[in-house]
Amino acid sequence: MNVGFVGTGTMGQPMVANLIRKGHAVLAYDIVPAALEAAAALGARTAGSAAEVAKRSELIITMLPSSPHVDAAFVGPGGVLEGAAPGHLCVDMSTIEPATSQRIAAAAKTRGVRFLDAPVSGGLPKAIEGTLTIMVGGNPTDLEEARPVLAALGSNIVHVGPVGSGEVAKICNNLIAGVAMVAVSEAFRIAEGFGVDPKILTEVISKSSGNTWAMLHGHPVPGMVPTSASNRDYAPGFTTDLMAKDLGLAVNAARQLRVPVCVAPAAQQLLRLASSHGLGRKDFSSVYTFLRPSSDRAPV
Amino acid sequence: MNVGFVGTGTMGQPMVANLIRKGHAVLAYDIVPAALEAAAALGARTAGSAAEVAKRSELIITMLPSSPHVDAAFVGPGGVLEGAAPGHLCVDMSTIEPATSQRIAAAAKTRGVRFLDAPVSGGLPKAIEGTLTIMVGGNPTDLEEARPVLAALGSNIVHVGPVGSGEVAKICNNLIAGVAMVAVSEAFRIAEGFGVDPKILTEVISKSSGNTWAMLHGHPVPGMVPTSASNRDYAPGFTTDLMAKDLGLAVNAARQLRVPVCVAPAAQQLLRLASSHGLGRKDFSSVYTFLRPSSDRAPV
Amino acid sequence: MNVGFVGTGTMGQPMVANLIRKGHAVLAYDIVPAALEAAAALGARTAGSAAEVAKRSELIITMLPSSPHVDAAFVGPGGVLEGAAPGHLCVDMSTIEPATSQRIAAAAKTRGVRFLDAPVSGGLPKAIEGTLTIMVGGNPTDLEEARPVLAALGSNIVHVGPVGSGEVAKICNNLIAGVAMVAVSEAFRIAEGFGVDPKILTEVISKSSGNTWAMLHGHPVPGMVPTSASNRDYAPGFTTDLMAKDLGLAVNAARQLRVPVCVAPAAQQLLRLASSHGLGRKDFSSVYTFLRPSSDRAPV
Amino acid sequence: MNVGFVGTGTMGQPMVANLIRKGHAVLAYDIVPAALEAAAALGARTAGSAAEVAKRSELIITMLPSSPHVDAAFVGPGGVLEGAAPGHLCVDMSTIEPATSQRIAAAAKTRGVRFLDAPVSGGLPKAIEGTLTIMVGGNPTDLEEARPVLAALGSNIVHVGPVGSGEVAKICNNLIAGVAMVAVSEAFRIAEGFGVDPKILTEVISKSSGNTWAMLHGHPVPGMVPTSASNRDYAPGFTTDLMAKDLGLAVNAARQLRVPVCVAPAAQQLLRLASSHGLGRKDFSSVYTFLRPSSDRAPV
């Protein structure tokens, strides 16, 4: 199928590569020339604007860093909605505010254009493997139409509900994942202060009510779990910056919904601080290193 | 074996019952007459003080609500250490500050008395079944000596490390469990605000990085997981008050260790508020009900 | 002067009344018919849209509840920018996101329309008296042009900086005011728990490093300061809902600026909770009542 | 008068110097030999234990870093209560848990020894000047007896209430002061992100509901207020470590009282983090520098 692809940055490039590998013709655009050249080097044709991509593609995928970027790419000048004809199908795979997805979907609908939100999880490693999890919001029939293309990108494609639901699932999952990682880090710092063996503690918790994916698969203490980022100096994985962003999306969504939230903003701000102090591009489990105790000369 | 048992309150009574059922002679004491009478009704002999229990028992179990209670029961007038002879073995199964366990163990040692901290998890249901998890700190040889008695109370007995380590494992596990429950509650409130189906969201998260014991086994949204307290109007299970206490122990331990913690105090204080507003004796998953959104007339 | 006024709700009505009293002709619009009728009853002429107000007024004041309302009133269909001619001057007195002010000012500029952000403090009582504080962002010459009209509404008109600065000053002030009120409430709850006389404590703190406007003028404990809302069952004053909103604006601005913030979100979420539990329309000092201690039977 | 002085560390030394300067004979003890030698160099006689100090002095002042130190100095072996005769008067000027003051006062009373808690504010500069504020809990008659001695140390001596009340006043004041400083820092970081002039913002807030001692006298942004620590690279003043300690005392007191608190623990943990990352011995207003924004390449 002729696939348009807007946003060929770090995550977009391996996705474009997988689409081409599976036999799709890709027409690409990125506002950053170097990113667009990278897509060309992978075998994509290139366009001069998102609108041009939209005009010449039946299915348009967007993969952009934030809500304002997606807004600009769809409803800004030269944006997708300028070029897309009635019946075209847009799949936004960016992680953004659910309310933005809903607003853009409504704008698309007035032009007869269909829209799915389809954020991904799994990070760069699974983008490269083509084994992302894709959480989809929108019309199920539209998803079925997009599925053969999405299958080149991810191995677990879930329909969550109406437009925006994919984003909601993503940010709700990451809210829990981010908070749990901080909680695990706090717990192991306390245990360490008492001299308790982290291996035994991991074993105990893994069989009890404190068990979490964060500890089992992303253990922040080096040497506990073979595959965790903590064993490779916290090379991501999923960066502190991205987790701070996703927690921020969740907290801001809560604000707009008037839902009180307490641990999500605490974790968000801690990761934001960790980013300010040099851990932004490390795996988010590096928050454990940030939570080091004060000098034992500090009064208590 | 002649077992002394100090603290025959809500949790202590089924433990005494199980000890007697397994053939142990129990000599009981509680500062509250009604609690002591309950132990007598279960078949225990009764003593007039903790010191008397200690004098007449080789193995003394204590099961008390808080650090000051344990302090009083051991080193206060008429306390265990007044009665215990050199070589006697004390097993404190209360959930208290690890530093208190360590201090009492040191005081016991000066009298030749041995001390294990051995807090439990599983709550009242597993205390009744005799299938508690028991996390033990102290000398492994002492644990082997106590094991036949502890086997009447719990089915999973883990040696964690030196004295205090059992408490550390308990509060670190509960730190994660408490925080995770709040995170799950926040995530599902946000999803609810967007109208996302909680069953589908549960399914998605259970296969992703947000997976936690709290969601899988204690889901705060009614109707999601058959066994969770949310399905029985949040009848505990493990109360909001007890979880607020355990989070408080963890946060206070962090304070003394100079370890920075962020999500633990946020969860602690939220549960404390929920308790103030009537949810103290409900299961701690009822925090979900506390996090209800404001009126949609509230400005945003 | 012919003054247009869009947004004749609770705060807008006394402002319209003051404008008329000072001799200005007011042309009003509100999307809610009852609010518009209230303005008519005060002596304003009425229009059928914000665009019509803008077309027929040299100076257009907007006073709306939130960023999306202001967005709609300016750039939505039938909005101010449809009607305003080049040279017209808009003064938005709503409390909204500074970034929204900046975006709307930019949109206005492309049409030759001038824009000031000019949020107010002092609440309903000072709106009625015409003694609001008005914090203004934008071109100082534009402010001088608007000043005679603004003088009917406020007694303290401050130019803060370029467009958006008025909003920044408002939300930064309210960040501190909201957090300080929570801190004062927490301090007096602790003192109360120890049985310390709040009058003496107020006296001590008023001369020390903990002194704040919040305690001196808005004391959350009844009977301490004659004028505070706590003496009239927390009748506002400034509502919990509005303070939760302003703290939310500050926290969201921090998010967009990547600034870590810790006490602001803690206060925001506490007020959001207080609102969920019935205190939304009380003065925000009622958070003190929300922070009541748990039952003394709760374990510690 | 013969004054005993236990705890001749950093704060104790200038206090001893002032007592001697005003004509009091001082008998000193400190567990750290160097601290005791410093007192001797100032003209104090020295004793071999706190008990010896107590035996030989009518009035015994203690000035120690934390609750466990005070506990040890009073009820530990060789402690004050071993030496003090009935009728002796103890004045503990340490900043510690109010509950510890109350417990020690009770222990003293059983021996006929009188006890006042009398923590100070003003830090090292005012200790040197002899112009500390002294907040006193205990019997007013006892305070009158001690007043001539305390007058050598402080210029503002306030009786707050029964034993423990001095500590309560101190930690409640510092709770507000610490939280307010963080709030001011957050507000000025946000304003800075928008490019708002901090001088104008300071001016605006100083006349509005956000006014606080923290901003007026301890402004965290350099160049705003002549006397603030921020102008001398955050040389204390009052250190981050001491403020983290006092907030910790307040939060722990709240825990024991079952009072929910939200902004105090958020500020406490932020200062703890700032201490871990090198700011422990700087003035606590240096938290402003810790709240620096992340790189503008971080996704939002």
Side-chain angles (χ1 to χ4, degrees), chain C residues 160 168 172-173 175-177 179 183 186-187 189-190 193-194 200 208-211 213 250 257-264 291-296 298 300, chain D residues 160 168 172-173 175-177 179 183 186-187 190 193-194 200 208-211 213 250 257-264 291-296 298 300:
Chain C
V160 182
V168 172
C172 286
N173 180 76
L175 184 165
I176 302 171
V179 169
E186 292 178 2
R189 279 294 190 190
I190 291 171
F194 282 111
I200 296 174
S208 190
S209 55
N211 196 23
W213 190 100
L257 296 166
R258 303 170 181 81
V259 167
V261 288
C262 293
V263 295
L291 292 171
R292 65 174 188 237
S294 310
S295 156
D296 58 12
V300 171
Chain D
V160 183
V168 172
C172 287
N173 179 76
L175 183 165
I176 302 172
V179 169
E186 293 179 0
I190 292 171
F194 282 112
I200 297 175
S208 190
S209 55
N211 196 24
W213 190 99
L257 296 166
R258 304 171 180 81
V259 167
V261 287
C262 293
V263 295
L291 292 171
R292 64 176 189 236
S294 311
S295 156
D296 59 12
V300 172

Coordinates of all heavy atoms in Angstrom, one line a residue, chain C residues 160 168 172-173 175-177 179 183 186-187 189-190 193-194 200 208-211 213 250 257-264 291-296 298 300, chain D residues 160 168 172-173 175-177 179 183 186-187 190 193-194 200 208-211 213 250 257-264 291-296 298 300:
Chain C
V160 N 3.5 44.6 34.0 CA 4.4 43.6 34.4 C 5.5 43.3 33.4 O 6.7 43.1 33.7 CB 3.8 42.2 34.8 CG1 4.8 41.2 35.3 CG2 2.7 42.4 35.8
V168 N 1.3 35.5 34.1 CA 2.4 34.9 34.8 C 2.5 35.4 36.3 O 2.6 34.7 37.2 CB 3.8 35.2 34.1 CG1 4.9 34.7 35.0 CG2 3.8 34.4 32.8
C172 N 1.8 33.1 39.5 CA 2.9 32.9 40.4 C 2.6 33.4 41.8 O 2.9 32.8 42.8 CB 4.2 33.7 39.9 SG 4.9 32.8 38.5
N173 N 1.9 34.5 41.8 CA 1.4 35.0 43.1 C 0.5 34.0 43.8 O 0.6 33.6 45.0 CB 0.6 36.3 43.0 CG 0.1 36.8 44.3 OD1 0.9 37.4 45.1 ND2 -1.2 36.6 44.6
L175 N 0.2 30.8 43.2 CA 1.0 29.6 43.5 C 1.5 29.7 45.0 O 1.2 28.9 45.8 CB 2.2 29.4 42.6 CG 3.1 28.2 42.8 CD1 4.0 28.0 41.5 CD2 3.9 28.2 44.0
I176 N 2.1 30.9 45.3 CA 2.6 31.1 46.6 C 1.5 31.2 47.6 O 1.5 30.5 48.7 CB 3.5 32.3 46.7 CG1 4.7 32.2 45.7 CG2 4.1 32.5 48.1 CD1 5.5 33.5 45.5
A177 N 0.5 31.9 47.3 CA -0.7 32.1 48.2 C -1.4 30.8 48.5 O -1.7 30.5 49.7 CB -1.7 33.1 47.6
V179 N -0.1 27.6 48.2 CA 0.8 26.7 49.0 C 0.9 27.2 50.4 O 0.8 26.4 51.3 CB 2.1 26.7 48.3 CG1 3.1 26.0 49.2 CG2 2.0 26.0 46.9
A183 N 0.2 25.3 53.9 CA 1.3 25.1 54.9 C 0.8 25.7 56.3 O 1.0 25.0 57.3 CB 2.5 25.9 54.5
E186 N -1.6 23.1 57.7 CA -0.9 21.9 58.3 C -0.2 22.3 59.6 O -0.3 21.5 60.6 CB 0.2 21.5 57.3 CG -0.4 20.9 56.0 CD 0.6 20.4 54.9 OE1 1.8 20.5 55.2 OE2 0.1 20.0 53.9
A187 N 0.4 23.4 59.7 CA 1.1 23.8 60.9 C 0.1 23.9 62.1 O 0.4 23.5 63.2 CB 1.8 25.2 60.7
R189 N -2.8 22.5 62.3 CA -3.4 21.2 62.7 C -2.4 20.5 63.6 O -2.8 19.8 64.6 CB -3.6 20.4 61.5 CG -4.9 20.7 60.7 CD -6.1 20.3 61.6 NE -7.4 20.4 60.9 CZ -8.6 20.3 61.5 NH1 -8.6 20.1 62.8 NH2 -9.7 20.4 60.8
I190 N -1.1 20.6 63.3 CA -0.1 19.9 64.2 C -0.1 20.5 65.6 O -0.2 19.8 66.6 CB 1.3 20.0 63.5 CG1 1.4 19.1 62.3 CG2 2.4 19.6 64.5 CD1 2.6 19.3 61.4
G193 N -3.0 19.4 67.5 CA -2.8 18.0 68.0 C -2.0 18.0 69.3 O -2.2 17.1 70.2
F194 N -1.1 19.0 69.5 CA -0.3 19.0 70.8 C -1.0 19.9 71.8 O -0.5 20.2 72.9 CB 1.0 19.6 70.5 CG 2.0 18.6 69.9 CD1 2.4 18.8 68.5 CD2 2.5 17.6 70.6 CE1 3.3 17.9 68.0 CE2 3.4 16.7 70.1 CZ 3.8 16.8 68.7
I200 N -1.5 32.2 70.5 CA -0.1 32.4 70.9 C 0.8 32.0 69.7 O 1.7 32.7 69.3 CB 0.3 31.6 72.1 CG1 -0.5 32.1 73.3 CG2 1.8 31.7 72.4 CD1 -0.3 31.3 74.6
S208 N 8.1 35.9 63.0 CA 9.2 35.0 62.6 C 9.2 34.7 61.2 O 8.5 35.2 60.4 CB 9.2 33.7 63.5 OG 10.3 33.0 63.4
S209 N 10.1 33.7 60.8 CA 10.3 33.4 59.4 C 9.2 32.7 58.7 O 9.1 32.6 57.5 CB 11.6 32.5 59.3 OG 11.4 31.4 60.1
G210 N 8.2 32.3 59.5 CA 7.0 31.7 58.9 C 5.9 32.6 58.6 O 4.8 32.2 58.2
N211 N 6.2 33.9 58.7 CA 5.1 34.9 58.5 C 4.7 34.9 57.0 O 5.5 34.9 56.2 CB 5.5 36.3 59.0 CG 4.3 37.2 59.1 OD1 3.2 36.7 59.3 ND2 4.5 38.5 59.0
W213 N 1.2 36.3 54.3 CA -0.1 37.0 54.1 C -1.2 36.0 54.4 O -2.2 36.4 55.0 CB -0.2 37.4 52.6 CG -1.3 38.3 52.3 CD1 -1.3 39.7 52.2 CD2 -2.7 37.9 52.0 NE1 -2.6 40.1 51.9 CE2 -3.5 39.1 51.8 CE3 -3.4 36.7 52.0 CZ2 -4.8 39.0 51.5 CZ3 -4.7 36.6 51.7 CH2 -5.4 37.8 51.5
A250 N -0.4 27.1 37.1 CA 1.0 27.3 37.4 C 1.7 26.0 37.1 O 2.8 25.9 36.5 CB 1.1 27.7 38.8
L257 N 7.4 24.5 30.6 CA 8.7 25.1 30.7 C 9.8 24.1 31.1 O 10.9 24.5 31.3 CB 8.7 26.3 31.6 CG 7.8 27.4 31.3 CD1 7.6 28.3 32.5 CD2 8.4 28.2 30.1
R258 N 9.4 22.9 31.5 CA 10.3 21.9 32.0 C 10.9 22.3 33.4 O 12.0 21.9 33.7 CB 11.4 21.6 31.0 CG 11.0 21.1 29.6 CD 12.1 21.1 28.7 NE 11.7 20.7 27.3 CZ 11.2 21.5 26.4 NH1 10.9 22.7 26.7 NH2 10.9 21.0 25.2
V259 N 10.2 23.1 34.1 CA 10.6 23.5 35.4 C 10.1 22.5 36.5 O 8.9 22.2 36.5 CB 10.1 24.9 35.8 CG1 10.2 25.2 37.3 CG2 10.8 26.0 34.9
P260 N 10.9 21.9 37.3 CA 10.4 21.0 38.3 C 9.7 21.8 39.4 O 10.3 22.8 39.9 CB 11.7 20.4 38.9 CG 12.9 20.9 38.1 CD 12.4 22.1 37.3
V261 N 8.6 21.3 39.9 CA 7.9 22.0 41.0 C 7.3 20.9 41.9 O 7.0 19.8 41.4 CB 6.7 22.9 40.5 CG1 7.2 24.1 39.8 CG2 5.8 22.1 39.5
C262 N 7.4 21.1 43.2 CA 7.0 20.1 44.1 C 5.9 20.5 45.0 O 4.9 19.7 45.2 CB 8.2 19.7 44.9 SG 9.5 18.9 43.9
V263 N 5.9 21.6 45.7 CA 4.9 22.0 46.6 C 3.6 22.5 45.9 O 2.5 22.3 46.4 CB 5.3 23.0 47.7 CG1 6.4 22.4 48.6 CG2 5.8 24.3 47.1
A264 N 3.8 23.1 44.7 CA 2.6 23.6 44.0 C 1.7 22.4 43.6 O 0.5 22.5 43.8 CB 3.0 24.4 42.8
L291 N -8.2 18.9 56.4 CA -7.0 18.3 57.0 C -7.2 17.8 58.4 O -6.3 17.8 59.2 CB -5.8 19.2 56.9 CG -5.2 19.6 55.6 CD1 -4.2 20.7 55.7 CD2 -4.6 18.4 54.9
R292 N -8.4 17.3 58.6 CA -8.7 16.9 60.0 C -8.0 15.5 60.3 O -7.8 14.7 59.4 CB -10.2 16.8 60.2 CG -10.8 15.7 59.4 CD -12.3 15.6 59.8 NE -12.9 14.5 59.1 CZ -14.0 14.6 58.3 NH1 -14.6 15.7 58.1 NH2 -14.5 13.5 57.7
P293 N -7.6 15.3 61.5 CA -6.9 14.1 61.8 C -7.8 12.9 61.8 O -9.0 13.0 61.9 CB -6.3 14.3 63.3 CG -7.2 15.4 63.8 CD -7.7 16.2 62.7
S294 N -7.2 11.7 61.5 CA -7.9 10.4 61.6 C -8.3 10.2 63.1 O -7.8 10.7 64.0 CB -7.1 9.2 61.2 OG -6.4 9.4 60.0
S295 N -9.2 9.2 63.2 CA -9.6 8.7 64.5 C -8.4 8.3 65.3 O -7.5 7.7 64.8 CB -10.5 7.5 64.3 OG -10.5 6.7 65.4
D296 N -8.4 8.5 66.6 CA -7.3 8.2 67.4 C -7.2 6.7 67.7 O -6.3 6.2 68.4 CB -7.2 9.0 68.7 CG -8.4 8.8 69.5 OD1 -9.3 7.9 69.2 OD2 -8.6 9.5 70.5
A298 N -6.9 4.8 65.0 CA -6.1 4.4 63.9 C -4.7 4.0 64.3 O -4.1 4.8 65.1 CB -6.1 5.4 62.8
V300 N -0.6 3.7 64.4 CA 0.4 4.6 63.9 C 1.7 3.9 63.8 O 2.1 3.2 64.8 CB 0.5 5.8 64.9 CG1 1.8 6.6 64.5 CG2 -0.7 6.7 64.9
Chain D
V160 N 5.2 29.7 75.3 CA 4.2 29.2 74.4 C 3.1 28.4 75.1 O 1.9 28.5 74.7 CB 4.8 28.4 73.2 CG1 3.7 28.0 72.2 CG2 5.9 29.2 72.5
V168 N 6.9 22.7 69.5 CA 5.8 22.7 68.5 C 5.9 24.1 67.8 O 5.7 24.1 66.6 CB 4.5 22.5 69.2 CG1 3.3 22.8 68.3 CG2 4.4 21.1 69.8
C172 N 6.4 24.3 63.8 CA 5.3 24.8 63.0 C 5.8 26.0 62.2 O 5.4 26.2 61.1 CB 4.1 25.1 63.9 SG 3.3 23.5 64.4
N173 N 6.5 26.9 62.9 CA 7.0 28.0 62.2 C 7.9 27.6 61.0 O 7.8 28.1 59.9 CB 7.8 28.9 63.1 CG 8.4 30.1 62.4 OD1 7.7 31.1 62.1 ND2 9.7 30.1 62.0
L175 N 8.0 24.7 59.5 CA 7.2 24.1 58.4 C 6.7 25.2 57.4 O 6.9 25.0 56.2 CB 6.0 23.4 59.0 CG 5.0 22.6 58.1 CD1 4.1 21.7 58.9 CD2 4.2 23.4 57.2
I176 N 6.2 26.2 57.9 CA 5.7 27.3 57.0 C 6.8 27.9 56.3 O 6.8 28.1 55.0 CB 4.8 28.3 57.7 CG1 3.7 27.6 58.5 CG2 4.3 29.4 56.8 CD1 2.9 28.6 59.4
A177 N 7.9 28.3 57.0 CA 9.0 29.0 56.4 C 9.7 28.1 55.3 O 10.0 28.6 54.2 CB 10.1 29.3 57.5
V179 N 8.3 25.5 53.6 CA 7.4 25.4 52.4 C 7.3 26.6 51.6 O 7.3 26.6 50.4 CB 6.0 24.9 52.9 CG1 5.0 25.0 51.8 CG2 6.0 23.5 53.5
A183 N 7.9 27.3 47.7 CA 6.9 27.9 46.8 C 7.4 29.2 46.1 O 7.2 29.3 44.9 CB 5.7 28.3 47.6
E186 N 9.7 28.0 43.3 CA 8.9 27.5 42.2 C 8.3 28.6 41.3 O 8.4 28.6 40.1 CB 7.9 26.5 42.6 CG 8.4 25.3 43.3 CD 7.4 24.3 43.8 OE1 6.2 24.6 43.7 OE2 7.8 23.2 44.3
A187 N 7.7 29.6 42.0 CA 7.1 30.7 41.3 C 8.1 31.5 40.5 O 7.8 31.8 39.3 CB 6.4 31.6 42.3
I190 N 9.2 29.6 37.4 CA 8.2 29.7 36.3 C 8.2 31.1 35.6 O 8.3 31.2 34.4 CB 6.8 29.4 36.9 CG1 6.7 28.0 37.3 CG2 5.7 29.8 35.9 CD1 5.4 27.6 38.1
G193 N 11.1 31.3 33.3 CA 10.8 30.6 32.1 C 10.1 31.5 31.1 O 10.2 31.3 29.9
F194 N 9.2 32.3 31.6 CA 8.5 33.2 30.7 C 9.2 34.5 30.4 O 8.7 35.4 29.7 CB 7.1 33.5 31.3 CG 6.1 32.4 31.1 CD1 5.6 31.7 32.2 CD2 5.6 32.1 29.9 CE1 4.7 30.7 32.1 CE2 4.7 31.1 29.8 CZ 4.2 30.4 30.9
I200 N 10.2 43.1 39.2 CA 8.8 43.6 39.1 C 7.9 42.5 39.8 O 7.0 42.9 40.5 CB 8.4 43.8 37.6 CG1 9.2 44.9 37.0 CG2 6.9 44.1 37.5 CD1 9.0 45.1 35.5
S208 N 0.6 41.6 47.5 CA -0.5 40.8 47.2 C -0.6 39.6 48.2 O 0.2 39.5 49.1 CB -0.5 40.4 45.7 OG -1.7 39.7 45.4
S209 N -1.5 38.6 47.8 CA -1.7 37.5 48.7 C -0.6 36.5 48.8 O -0.6 35.6 49.6 CB -3.0 36.8 48.3 OG -2.9 36.4 46.9
G210 N 0.4 36.6 47.9 CA 1.5 35.7 47.9 C 2.7 36.2 48.8 O 3.7 35.6 48.8
N211 N 2.4 37.3 49.5 CA 3.6 37.9 50.3 C 3.9 36.9 51.4 O 3.1 36.4 52.1 CB 3.2 39.2 50.8 CG 4.4 40.0 51.3 OD1 5.5 39.7 50.8 ND2 4.2 40.9 52.2
W213 N 7.4 36.1 54.4 CA 8.7 36.4 55.0 C 9.8 35.9 54.1 O 10.9 36.5 53.8 CB 8.8 35.8 56.4 CG 10.0 36.3 57.2 CD1 10.1 37.2 58.1 CD2 11.4 35.8 57.1 NE1 11.3 37.4 58.6 CE2 12.2 36.5 58.0 CE3 12.0 34.8 56.3 CZ2 13.5 36.2 58.1 CZ3 13.3 34.5 56.4 CH2 14.1 35.2 57.4
A250 N 8.4 18.0 61.8 CA 7.0 18.4 61.7 C 6.2 17.3 61.1 O 5.1 16.9 61.5 CB 6.9 19.7 60.9
L257 N 0.4 12.2 65.2 CA -0.9 12.8 65.6 C -2.0 12.4 64.6 O -3.2 12.8 64.8 CB -0.8 14.3 65.6 CG 0.1 14.9 66.6 CD1 0.4 16.4 66.2 CD2 -0.5 14.8 68.0
R258 N -1.7 11.6 63.6 CA -2.6 11.2 62.5 C -3.2 12.4 61.8 O -4.3 12.4 61.3 CB -3.8 10.4 63.1 CG -3.3 9.2 63.9 CD -4.5 8.6 64.6 NE -4.2 7.4 65.4 CZ -3.6 7.4 66.6 NH1 -3.3 8.6 67.2 NH2 -3.3 6.3 67.2
V259 N -2.4 13.5 61.7 CA -2.8 14.7 60.9 C -2.3 14.5 59.5 O -1.1 14.3 59.3 CB -2.2 16.0 61.6 CG1 -2.3 17.1 60.6 CG2 -2.9 16.3 62.9
P260 N -3.2 14.7 58.5 CA -2.7 14.6 57.1 C -2.0 15.9 56.8 O -2.4 17.0 57.1 CB -4.0 14.5 56.3 CG -5.1 14.4 57.3 CD -4.6 14.9 58.6
V261 N -0.8 15.7 56.1 CA -0.1 16.9 55.7 C 0.4 16.6 54.2 O 0.8 15.5 53.9 CB 1.1 17.2 56.6 CG1 0.7 17.8 57.9 CG2 2.0 16.0 56.9
C262 N 0.5 17.6 53.4 CA 0.8 17.4 52.0 C 2.0 18.2 51.5 O 2.9 17.7 50.9 CB -0.4 17.7 51.1 SG -1.7 16.5 51.4
V263 N 1.9 19.5 51.8 CA 3.0 20.4 51.3 C 4.3 20.2 52.1 O 5.4 20.3 51.6 CB 2.6 21.8 51.1 CG1 1.5 22.0 50.0 CG2 2.2 22.5 52.4
A264 N 4.1 20.0 53.4 CA 5.3 19.8 54.3 C 6.2 18.6 53.8 O 7.4 18.8 53.7 CB 4.9 19.7 55.7
L291 N 16.1 23.7 41.6 CA 14.9 23.6 40.7 C 15.1 24.1 39.3 O 14.2 24.7 38.7 CB 13.7 24.3 41.4 CG 13.2 23.7 42.7 CD1 12.2 24.7 43.3 CD2 12.5 22.4 42.4
R292 N 16.3 23.9 38.8 CA 16.5 24.4 37.4 C 15.8 23.6 36.4 O 15.6 22.4 36.6 CB 18.0 24.4 37.2 CG 18.7 23.0 37.2 CD 20.1 23.1 36.8 NE 20.7 21.8 36.6 CZ 21.8 21.3 37.2 NH1 22.4 22.0 38.1 NH2 22.2 20.1 36.9
P293 N 15.4 24.2 35.3 CA 14.6 23.4 34.3 C 15.5 22.4 33.6 O 16.7 22.6 33.5 CB 14.2 24.5 33.3 CG 15.0 25.7 33.6 CD 15.6 25.6 35.0
S294 N 14.9 21.4 33.0 CA 15.6 20.5 32.1 C 16.0 21.1 30.8 O 15.4 22.2 30.5 CB 14.6 19.3 31.7 OG 14.0 18.7 32.7
S295 N 16.8 20.5 30.1 CA 17.2 20.9 28.8 C 16.0 21.2 27.9 O 15.0 20.4 28.0 CB 18.0 19.8 28.2 OG 18.0 19.9 26.8
D296 N 16.0 22.2 27.1 CA 14.9 22.4 26.2 C 14.8 21.4 25.1 O 13.9 21.5 24.3 CB 14.9 23.9 25.7 CG 16.1 24.2 25.0 OD1 16.9 23.3 24.6 OD2 16.3 25.4 24.7
A298 N 14.3 18.3 26.0 CA 13.5 17.3 26.6 C 12.0 17.4 26.0 O 11.5 18.5 25.9 CB 13.5 17.4 28.1
V300 N 8.0 17.3 25.8 CA 7.0 17.8 26.8 C 5.6 17.2 26.4 O 5.3 17.3 25.2 CB 6.9 19.3 26.8 CG1 5.7 19.8 27.6 CG2 8.2 19.9 27.3

